[in-house]
Amino acid sequence: MKKFALTVLAAACFSAPAHAFDLGSMISAGSDLVKSATLSDADVKAMAAESSVVMDKKNKVAPASNAYSKRLAKMVKGLDSEDGTKLNFKVYLTKEVNAFAMADGTVRVYSGLMDKMNDDEVRFVIGHEIGHVKLGHTKKAMQLAYATSAARKGAAGSGNSVASSLSESELGGFAEAVVNAQFSQSQESDADGYSVGFLKRHNYNVQGGPAALRKLADLYGNDSSLLSSHPAPGDRAVKLEKQIQSM
């Protein structure tokens, strides 16, 4: 899983793998599936909370004493919530350049991302991933994954809440669908814009946005030709700079 579209994560959202969950095309082709998915906001939050537990089990989580955890804690000191959602942060020890956020306030940052970016740039990535949550993108990814899964029938017939009806493997699958979701060009742009507002609200350096995107362009290139719906990071940086200038 080598992504970060900022993806980053999750998101994440920057450089999606070949097997990524292509949310943009799925929405175009599967609007009926989205409508058929009966997941409420409460369902999505509950599933996110349970899925984050599964993801933490599957990944190597940095202990509080770890240098990465200390750096992240310092980086987000005072950032307890965003737009009414209580946030919880952890670092996954992996070389992957990625991050993701989920509807319950889960934010996971990969150490590979922290190796490549400075604090201002990582904060932008975090804001971008939270933006996908707040703008409803991750909810749609979860709805689509749920609507197309066999787990849906089992949960519907159990009489229990959706989250409590799902197995650990099913929850893990839904989490992976969110983490690997390949969002559309407009969704990525909207999440970039959200993150700039996020940085400004929390008195962070808004220039971390264009800097992060240009760093991605340096790392992975500025070519969007392989996936026309996926914007090149350098182009996103230019658009973001214009937005910042107009603020």
Side-chain angles (χ1 to χ4, degrees), residues 131-188:
H132 278 310
V133 172
K134 291 299 182 179
L135 296 172
H137 305 160
T138 58
K139 178 181 178 180
K140 289 179 181 178
M142 187 76 82
Q143 284 179 315
L144 284 168
Y146 180 66
T148 57
S149 73
R152 181 182 173 220
K153 293 182 179 180
S158 70
N160 299 320
S161 67
V162 173
S164 63
S165 302
L166 299 172
S167 68
E168 184 170 304
S169 62
E170 288 167 341
L171 287 165
F174 293 135
E176 291 287 351
V178 172
V179 173
N180 289 324
Q182 183 184 301
F183 297 110
S184 70
Q185 182 169 344
S186 62
Q187 288 172 324
E188 292 294 355

Side-chain angles (χ1 to χ4, degrees), residues 6-7 13 18 45 48 60 67 90 107 113 117 119 128 132 189 198-199 218-219 234 245:
L6 316 158
T7 193
C13 243
K45 286 183 179 180
K60 187 176 182 180
K90 290 182 182 179
V107 180
L113 173 69
M117 296 191 175
D119 290 0
H128 176 99
H132 278 310
S189 180
F198 164 87
L199 295 174
D218 290 340
L219 289 169
Q245 290 173 358

Side-chain angles (χ1 to χ4, degrees), residues 185 192 213 217 221-225 227 229-238:
Q185 182 169 344
D192 286 345
L213 292 168
N222 193 46
D223 184 9
S224 61
S225 62
L227 185 61
S229 65
H230 193 70
D235 296 339
R236 288 163 62 189
V238 171

Side-chain angles (χ1 to χ4, degrees), residues 71-72 74-76 114 117-126 199 204-205 208 215:
R71 179 186 166 197
L72 182 60
K74 184 177 180 180
M75 193 187 309
V76 299
M114 298 176 72
M117 296 191 175
N118 64 33
D119 290 0
D120 291 332
E121 294 161 352
V122 173
R123 289 189 187 106
F124 169 76
V125 173
I126 290 171
L199 295 174
Y204 297 142
N205 182 5
K215 188 162 288 184

Side-chain angles (χ1 to χ4, degrees), residues 86-98:
K86 187 176 180 180
L87 303 175
N88 68 91
F89 297 88
K90 290 182 182 179
V91 176
Y92 286 171
L93 296 175
T94 172
K95 292 182 179 180
E96 294 175 34
V97 179
N98 203 358

